[in-house]
Amino acid sequence: MQHGSRSPGRGAARRPGDDKDGAKRAFFGRRKGHSLKPRQAALFDTLLPKLALDLTKPAAVDLRTLFAAPVDTLRLEIGFGGAEHLIAQAQAHPRTAFIGTDAFVNAVAKALVAIDERKLGNIRLHFGDASELLDWLPDESCAQIDLLYPDPWPKRRHWKRRFIQDDNLRRLARILQKGGVLRFATDIADYAAYALARVMRSEDFVWAAECADDWRNPWPDFAGTRYEAKAKREGRRPAYFIFRRV
């Protein structure tokens, strides 16, 4: 079940391959929605090959060399959806490199159009399961990771499909620099509590909040998303968490 038409890459993806008991992991969620517009389809053929990371080859020692623009640090956004936040952050921080990952065709199409229109040289994309990318990225390569409004999988029997799980937190911690931050936003109170409980029992992260407003209000540089707007229209109040890598 999808919530709010979120893309499957927004937390619904699980890594193909073997899990701890040897069973194959499945991908949960949709890959494609509406048919692509001609320009979007064309950019899949022309621009995506230039921006897509090649996970069949070992990652570069210095990932900054993968970007067309000169950059200083690297950030990752998992499941960028409509790409509003990813694009806004890339424009606001031209000296920062951004990797965006989403498994939803229409999400990637929107990102490609925006990147092309704004001629952004500080974004690379992974079109596929976010977990594949996490396994490919080098240790302590990211200064910040954003996970915004992932699919909450509201039915209890589906909670194991949520992105925030103990094993994923360990994988996020591996690629996050010491002192780096994991930013997580959700409009589902149950998912907020679920995620907070798992992060708080992790040895790799601490919750950076000092008062209630620190998680009730958006971060100063937060660019709103369509999922956030929909949540507010429907009367749900988002929560904004910052977890610091120790």
Side-chain angles (χ1 to χ4, degrees):
M1 175 180 177
Q2 295 289 334
H3 176 84
S5 299
R6 289 174 169 85
S7 75
R10 302 189 63 74
R14 296 295 301 275
R15 179 168 61 90
D18 296 336
D19 60 16
K20 292 181 180 179
D21 59 4
K24 292 292 182 181
R25 293 187 179 184
F27 178 89
F28 302 112
R30 297 178 302 144
R31 293 280 191 179
K32 189 173 185 296
H34 301 296
S35 298
L36 298 183
K37 297 177 181 179
R39 183 184 180 192
Q40 293 175 328
L43 289 173
F44 257 87
D45 294 331
T46 59
L47 183 58
L48 183 58
K50 299 177 182 178
L51 300 182
L53 298 171
D54 186 356
L55 272 55
T56 66
K57 298 178 180 178
V61 175
D62 186 352
L63 293 179
R64 294 176 298 177
T65 62
L66 299 178
F67 294 82
V71 292
D72 300 320
T73 58
L74 176 69
R75 297 184 187 179
L76 169 66
E77 183 167 340
I78 299 174
F80 50 77
E84 302 97 341
H85 183 266
L86 176 65
I87 298 301
Q89 289 288 292
Q91 288 184 289
H93 305 282
R95 295 285 306 189
T96 298
F98 291 86
I99 294 178
T101 176
D102 207 296
F104 196 35
V105 172
N106 301 78
V108 175
K110 291 172 182 175
L112 290 171
V113 170
I115 293 169
D116 186 54
E117 287 179 344
R118 295 163 178 78
K119 307 302 178 186
L120 297 173
N122 59 336
I123 298 179
R124 296 295 297 266
L125 300 175
H126 172 58
F127 173 35
D129 188 336
S131 294
E132 299 169 347
L133 178 62
L134 296 186
D135 291 342
W136 180 82
L137 287 168
D139 293 355
E140 299 187 29
S141 54
C142 298
Q144 180 173 301
I145 301 173
D146 287 339
L147 177 64
L148 310 178
Y149 301 99
D151 194 318
W153 295 102
K155 294 182 179 179
R156 190 178 184 89
R157 67 176 182 272
H158 292 156
W159 284 3
K160 62 182 179 294
R161 302 180 181 182
R162 290 173 167 176
F163 193 87
I164 298 292
Q165 304 287 350
D166 294 335
D167 61 338
N168 273 345
L169 287 171
R170 286 189 290 269
R171 296 159 79 202
L172 294 174
R174 181 188 68 80
I175 65 172
L176 194 58
Q177 298 169 3
K178 299 292 178 62
V181 296
L182 166 63
R183 304 198 303 185
F184 169 65
T186 181
D187 56 302
I188 305 300
D190 172 78
Y191 197 2
Y194 177 96
L196 185 59
R198 277 148 186 79
V199 176
M200 293 298 287
R201 72 191 185 196
S202 168
E203 297 180 353
D204 298 313
F205 293 96
V206 294
W207 188 15
E210 297 180 354
C211 63
D213 281 349
D214 288 340
W215 59 268
R216 289 175 177 170
N217 297 327
W219 312 297
D221 67 339
F222 181 71
T225 74
R226 65 190 60 197
Y227 303 106
E228 180 184 62
K230 183 176 188 294
K232 291 181 176 180
R233 288 197 305 270
E234 295 177 356
R236 295 187 301 277
R237 182 171 184 175
Y240 308 87
F241 297 101
I242 294 180
F243 304 111
R244 193 169 304 280
R245 174 75 166 91
V246 295

